[in-house]
Amino acid sequence: MKLNLLSCDAQRPDKRAIAKCITEISNMSDSLANELTDILLEGDAVDIEVDDKNSGSALRALRKLSIDYEIME
């Protein structure tokens, strides 16, 4: 499943927690997840790929971090 991460609405977003979440749900490297987190927190949308078996927990984790997303497919 493809997700488009739109923005983070948290007052004080936890950059490390967001990067860790992205790493865990999309199976990408830590450095790429950190780079995508920076892009997201600057206000630009980010596309990630999530395994279908992890989709439910991934969506819950993103909501917990106050990340707005849309499902691409």
Side-chain angles (χ1 to χ4, degrees), residues 22-36:
I22 291 173
T23 299
E24 290 175 359
I25 65 175
S26 63
N27 294 325
M28 67 177 58
S29 68
D30 291 338
S31 61
L32 181 57
N34 285 328
E35 188 176 326
L36 293 178

Side-chain angles (χ1 to χ4, degrees), residues 4-15:
N4 187 14
L5 306 182
L6 302 172
S7 65
C8 181
D9 293 335
Q11 281 186 335
R12 293 182 2 201
D14 185 349
K15 181 180 172 182

Side-chain angles (χ1 to χ4, degrees), residues 26-51:
S26 63
N27 294 325
M28 67 177 58
S29 68
D30 291 338
S31 61
L32 181 57
N34 285 328
E35 188 176 326
L36 293 178
T37 300
D38 288 338
I39 292 169
L40 178 66
L41 293 179
E42 288 174 2
D44 294 324
V46 174
D47 293 335
I48 61 171
E49 182 84 29
V50 178
D51 292 334

